[in-house]
Amino acid sequence: MSAARVRGRYAPSPTGELHLGNASTALLAWLSIRARGGTFVMRVEDLDRQRSRDELAEQCLQDLEWLGLDWDEGPDLGGPCAPYSQWERRGDYVRAFERLKGESRLYPCFCSRRDIANAPSAPQDPGEMRRYPGTCRAIAHEEAMARVERNDRHAWRFRVDGEVSPAFDDLVRRRWGQGRSAPGDFVVYRADGVPAYQLAVVVDDAAMAIDEVVRGDDLLSSTPAQLLLYDALGLDAPLFGHVPLLLGTDGARLSKRHRGITLRELREAGHGPEAVVGRLAKLLGLRPDAGPVTARDLVPGFDLASVAPAERGHVVDPAAW
Ligand code: GLU
C-alpha cells in the first residue's frame, strides 16, 4: 500500500493584492509539497469581512496561477475538505469555541484596545506575541458571566496555564520556543463576534489533514499559541516551517505602502512569471543566479531545510530589476 501523500497548503487573506512577499511564501510552500509528490491545498482566509473582498480572492488565485503554481484542492476546484474558504467554515470554529468554553479553557475579556495598549506589559523577546497582562482573568466567574449576560462588549481568551512556551522543531528555524516564556492569554473569539485567526487556522489545518504548514516568519510568534490549541482540542499538530519575510528598501516588511511590489504591478511592468520566480529563487538562496526560471523547474530536489533563515528578512527592490 502506498504511503499517504503529504498535505500542505497556502492560505491567502484576500484583504489586498498578493505581493512579492506572499509570492515567496506560496512558492516555498508549493515547492516543498510538489518535491515530495504531495497534495497542495488552497484555502482562502476571508473571516475579516470588513477587509476581505471576493474579487481579491479570485485575483489571488489568478496571480498564483500566473506565477506557475497549481493546487489539487481549493475554492475553485472543490475537494474532499470543501468548502475552502473560512467564511463558509465558520460553524466549525463556533463548535471548537463552544467546546473550549464548555471545558473552562476560556474567559471573557472586556478590555478595549486602548485598555490593552495602555496596560503595563512585561518586556518580551522579539518574535513573541504582545502579552496580555491578564486583567480580566482576575474577574470573579459570576461577575464575568453577569457581564456577558448583560452583553458588555467582550472577546474570549484562551487561558494559558504554565510559564514556558511549547517548543517545536521548525523546518527552517530548527528548534524554536525553547526557554521562552509562554504566550499570554490570547483571543480565540473576537469582540465583533468573529472567530479569531488563531482558532480558525488550527481547526482548518486539522480538518484538512495538513501535515506541513509553511508560512512567513511574521507568524512564528503565533505558533506556540496554536500548539496550545491543538493540545486543548486533542488534535495532532502539523510540522511548521517559517520562511524569511521580504522587506522593502526601507527595511520594513513588504506592505501596501511599498510601490511596484504586487504581482499585478510586476506583470503590468512587463515582467514575466519566470523573471519573478528567478529573482525570488536567488534571493532565497535556491539558485546562484537570478536568471529566469519556472516554478516547476525548481521542484526536483527542493528541500525546505536548504532555505536559510534570515533574522529580519531579505530586502527586495523591484524598481532596480
Ligand atoms: N492568512 C494568513 C496570511 O495571509 C496566513 C495564515 C497562515 O499561513 O497560517 O497572512
Side-chain angles (χ1 to χ4, degrees), residues 9-13 22 43 45 197 201 205 213-216 218-219 226:
R9 48 72 159 182
Y10 182 63
S13 298
N22 309 123
R43 180 175 75 230
E45 300 205 327
Y197 157 70
V201 75
D205 282 333
V213 168
V214 173
R215 58 187 179 190
D218 52 330
L219 291 166
Q226 291 171 18

Side-chain angles (χ1 to χ4, degrees), residues 155-209:
W156 287 88
R157 287 184 184 271
F158 183 83
R159 192 189 300 273
V160 177
D161 296 320
E163 305 285 304
V164 290
S165 171
F168 59 101
D169 290 310
D170 191 90
L171 298 165
V172 178
R173 289 283 191 157
R174 317 282 174 245
R175 195 81 186 141
W176 188 263
Q178 194 99 15
R180 289 178 179 252
S181 26
D185 297 343
F186 56 90
V187 171
V188 293
Y189 217 87
R190 297 170 11 169
D192 59 4
V194 177
Y197 157 70
Q198 308 291 7
L199 180 65
V201 75
V202 165
V203 169
D204 281 347
D205 282 333
M208 295 183 175

Side-chain angles (χ1 to χ4, degrees), residues 55-75:
E55 58 280 11
L56 282 174
E58 246 164 68
Q59 196 190 324
C60 281
L61 302 190
Q62 283 165 13
D63 285 347
L64 292 168
E65 226 174 288
W66 174 81
L67 200 64
L69 309 191
D70 62 352
W71 45 97
D72 307 292
E73 300 171 24

Side-chain angles (χ1 to χ4, degrees), residues 127-163:
E128 277 181 12
M129 289 202 298
R130 191 184 154 83
R131 188 167 293 111
Y132 174 66
T135 321
C136 291
R137 197 195 248 245
I139 302 175
H141 182 71
E142 291 70 29
E143 184 190 337
M145 290 310 127
R147 289 180 68 177
V148 167
E149 259 330 89
R150 233 172 36 217
N151 245 335
D152 280 6
R153 191 175 165 83
H154 62 282
W156 287 88
R157 287 184 184 271
F158 183 83
R159 192 189 300 273
V160 177
D161 296 320
E163 305 285 304

